[in-house]
Amino acid sequence: MKKLPLLLLLLLTTKTHAQEKSIYHKGWIDFNKNGKMDVFEDPSQPIDVRVADLLSQMTVEEKTCQLATLYGYKRVLKEEMPTPSWKNEVWKDGIANIDEELNNLTSHTDAAPTQYSYPYSKHAAAINTIQKWFVEETRMGIPVDFTNEGIHGLNHDGATSLPAPIGIGSTWDKELVRHAGRVVGREAKALGYTNIYTPILDVSRDQRWGRVVETYGENPFLIAEMGKQMCLGVQEEGVASTLKHFAVYSVPKGGRDGADRTDPHVAPRELYEMFLYPFRRVIQEAHPLGVMSSYNDWNGEPVTGSYFFLTELLRQKFGFNGYVVSDSEAVEYLYSKHHVADSPEEAVREAFEAGLNVRTNFTMPQTYIMPLRNLYKEGKISMKTLDSRTGDVLRVKFKLGLFDHPYVEDTKAADKLVHNEDATAMGLKMNRESMVLLKNENNLLPLNKSAIKNILVTGPLATETNYAISRYGPSHNPVTSVFDGIKNYMGSGATVKYAKGCNIVDATWPESEIIETPLTPQEQASIDSAVAAAKQADVVIAVVGEDVDRVGESLSRTGLNLPGRQLKLIQALQATGKPVVMVMINGQPLTVNWENKFVPAILEAWFPGPESGRVIVETLFGDNNPGGKLPITFPKTVGQIEFNFPFKPGSQDPQGGKNSWGKTSVNGALYPFGYGLSYTTFAYSNLQVSPQKENQQGNIEVSVDITNTGQRTGDDVVELYLKQEYSSVTVYDYDLRGFERVPLAPGEKKTVHFTLHPDDLAILDKNMNWTVEPGKFMVMIGSSSEDIKLKQEFEVRD
């Protein structure tokens, strides 16, 4: 009797080996292991036909498993590699996607160390092993979509890093963003990931919001253009791009985040023109395969439970044809936060009926799958809808080629493809292009390397590096701090000293923003030490701002001054009479009014990538001529918020309107949208607009000459703004409708061309229909939204 189990085990093992050998055929894979090529296994068949055939063979259990995320190792999944116990888990019938699998994430909240993230080839082989389990050990063999984050480089151990998205937005460089997208996609595919959660298309209209750092800025046109290029770049490499966060996510009441993230005060017209605009454009022009639904509500409807958002808008109006994944816990919030569902199961039903395809949460997938199965058994959801939701997921998997090539075919190639020389050069270029020069009184910058013998580097961000590593990007890349960057650059040619000056925040911050406390003896001593060192220096480089604990997800602020004692440090340094250069490392606009008035030079570096120290010092000394432009307005005070671009007529006159007779408010931007200085100068000329008169469906061609009139090679961003002079409804005073980043040698002139399409002229009329109304329009060319250089009118006729 004891021999029988052994005999059975041998027979089963033999059968498994035979099965493994038999399912892989030349040109096709026998996923359902029935010994014949089914329609869904035939690569020559149309995708929709393959989807229908596969659905017809699937059980309810298998279909519902395609509607949930399994979070990867250390988040939810407990094992790095498949184990026999997986046969007892809900994913024995498959799973939609496994998120952030074996990526070796570094995070305060959910770090996930693993032995399989590096070398890169080891990760690719590990993903193959997991994929192999799903193909060979589940009945239908449906491959997994391996998802991951990637908003400033792939969220993987040692992948190529980019500046934070607010820095990417500051480059205004569409071609470079496309290249960055290709790098993200190429690295993802080499490592075994098939779907990347990028770009973020949220429109940052409230500078207090913590996630400003993760966005491309405040302007929907700029965001649409940059997001389109990132999406196209990723998907050109055969990897899905998933847009987030759909929709109206970025303006929660009061800019609050974390446990709040609700109640955006957005009018219907603004919803379409401002917050849906980037999604519509990117969906229709780049055809992303994924969209992530957001936590928030709008007009009483939580988005993740809204048929209007997830079906009517996304699929019927915008033509989206991929699958919708929820943000983590967004489904559960229908019950626990929004209270539009009276039970967790009802929340599942509402999200499912609304159009959600895949639920994500930091819980086991059965917490969604089992309620879904119960709903079907009770007749509360139909097979037709279940097939539709499942079919969307399967369609994406077919489009990604997972049913034809489910594995990384050359795992060793990952070691050559990930973070290679091309990618490193691209990341370095993007960091350089993201630098924005805010002030340069008397041309203090660039600094003269040969003339400077003593440098003080001070400020709480001078030796900090955590800003280069975030929750949604690469980890474990070596970071060059600003202090180290300056030391490396100067070598033995100068003495470079460091004095911290102060901490990023004081002991009672953020309360100290509203109830000031005196400096402690230790704080005063630290500032005094920096001042003493400054007096011995030829130049002071003060590195101030925020770190990852002061800005980011769930880190919205109520004030936007430099945190803690940093202003007091700057004031003490400025009082020495030595030239002070202020370098800002931060994730959102800061109200640096005193600093702007008195400090002679200010460089905005945002949250740069690991090359931060190198790039910042190259910029300060002129090896890199800053050409970035602000993608978001810097207000003078939080009391002005909302203060941004574009704006409606009369809503934020830069210097106060005709009725501003009183001295009661601070007016105007500290730095306007599109602003940024250079070490050279540029001149605009020869603006041509043709035809001068056009019908409502015609294109308008615009050209303008730009000349570098200075002594240094540099980039300028030519910004095209469009003003509709009269319209049937109130529209934005004027708005961005074109831009090109142009590199120019001294004395060089180039002609920049733009085409204005009907969509660029369209507004929502009184009946909320997009239309191009006849009338006069003004083309405006500028170097910022306020610094308009040239104007020319044209007319649209019936």
Side-chain angles (χ1 to χ4, degrees), residues 439-738:
K439 185 180 179 184
N440 193 21
E441 189 175 276
N442 298 322
N443 293 318
L444 174 59
L445 298 177
L447 299 172
N448 185 341
K449 183 177 181 180
S450 62
I452 294 174
K453 299 304 176 186
N454 292 286
I455 300 174
L456 172 66
V457 183
T458 184
L461 274 298
T463 58
E464 184 56 73
T465 58
N466 67 16
Y467 53 80
I469 307 293
S470 86
R471 170 68 182 79
Y472 299 113
S475 54
H476 304 113
N477 283 313
V479 181
T480 303
S481 70
V482 177
F483 176 54
D484 286 339
I486 293 172
K487 281 197 303 180
N488 296 341
Y489 185 84
M490 298 304 295
S492 60
T495 300
V496 181
K497 292 183 178 179
Y498 165 71
K500 187 173 185 180
C502 66
N503 294 323
I504 294 174
V505 296
D506 58 274
T508 65
W509 190 87
E511 186 183 73
S512 59
E513 292 190 328
I514 57 173
I515 304 175
E516 189 172 357
T517 56
L519 291 170
T520 66
Q522 294 86 351
E523 288 173 332
Q524 187 64 62
S526 187
I527 290 177
D528 290 344
S529 176
V531 167
K535 289 177 178 178
Q536 306 304 314
D538 298 323
V539 65
V540 177
I541 299 172
V543 191
V544 294
E546 304 167 309
D547 66 353
V548 294
D549 294 319
R550 256 48 70 168
V551 62
E553 186 171 12
S554 301
L555 296 172
S556 291
R557 291 185 58 187
T558 46
L560 289 175
N561 292 338
L562 285 173
R565 310 300 195 187
Q566 295 183 61
L567 174 56
K568 291 187 182 300
L569 172 64
I570 294 292
Q571 289 172 331
L573 294 169
Q574 184 66 20
T576 66
K578 292 301 178 83
V580 176
V581 177
M582 189 170 90
V583 175
M584 293 170 59
I585 291 178
N586 51 297
Q588 63 206 127
L590 299 180
T591 48
V592 286
N593 295 285
W594 190 96
E595 301 89 329
N596 177 65
K597 187 170 184 177
F598 294 105
V599 176
I602 303 175
L603 178 69
E604 175 61 88
W606 298 114
F607 272 15
E611 308 92 341
S612 55
R614 173 183 172 182
V615 170
I616 287 168
V617 71
E618 286 177 346
T619 306
L620 295 179
F621 283 85
D623 297 347
N624 175 52
N625 188 350
K629 301 280 189 170
L630 293 180
I632 186 168
T633 301
F634 278 49
K636 292 177 179 174
T637 166
V638 292
Q640 292 175 293
I641 293 173
E642 290 185 11
F643 196 90
N644 38 39
F645 183 85
F647 52 86
K648 294 291 179 72
S651 65
Q652 57 181 56
D653 190 296
Q655 303 303 325
K658 292 180 180 179
N659 292 329
S660 299
W661 58 80
K663 298 283 187 177
T664 59
S665 65
V666 174
N667 298 316
L670 180 60
Y671 307 114
F673 173 80
Y675 171 82
L677 303 176
S678 173
Y679 296 151
T680 189
T681 54
F682 301 95
Y684 297 82
S685 61
N686 193 30
L687 174 60
Q688 301 288 326
V689 179
S690 65
Q692 294 290 307
K693 297 178 180 179
E694 182 55 273
N695 63 46
Q696 291 163 296
Q697 300 305 313
N699 292 335
I700 302 293
E701 300 298 331
V702 178
S703 66
V704 64
D705 292 343
I706 178 171
T707 305
N708 182 343
T709 55
Q711 302 302 310
R712 290 175 175 268
T713 296
D715 295 1
D716 194 26
V717 178
V718 182
E719 303 168 27
L720 186 157
Y721 296 92
L722 186 66
K723 180 181 181 70
Q724 185 165 0
E725 298 186 17
Y726 296 95
S727 53
S728 62
V729 295
T730 303
V731 297
Y732 294 108
D733 198 15
Y734 56 103
D735 201 357
L736 185 70
R737 280 297 178 263

Side-chain angles (χ1 to χ4, degrees), residues 20 24 80-83 86 98 101-102 116 121-137 144 146 191-192 406-408 411:
E20 287 177 7
Y24 301 102
E80 290 177 284
M81 288 291 109
T83 67
W86 283 22
I98 300 180
E101 176 66 336
L102 305 174
Y116 290 102
S121 54
K122 188 175 184 180
H123 184 270
I127 293 294
N128 277 355
T129 299
I130 298 163
Q131 187 74 284
K132 190 179 177 74
W133 188 91
F134 281 92
V135 169
E136 296 180 358
E137 300 298 330
V144 174
F146 285 97
L191 287 159
Y407 307 117
V408 179
T411 57

Side-chain angles (χ1 to χ4, degrees), residues 383-395:
M383 180 60 75
K384 180 180 179 181
T385 308
L386 181 58
D387 282 350
S388 177
R389 301 290 179 267
T390 307
D392 291 335
V393 178
L394 296 176
R395 188 181 306 109

Side-chain angles (χ1 to χ4, degrees), residues 427-438:
L428 186 61
K429 180 177 171 66
M430 182 165 278
N431 273 280
R432 287 171 175 154
E433 290 197 6
S434 70
M435 298 289 120
V436 185
L437 185 61
L438 299 179

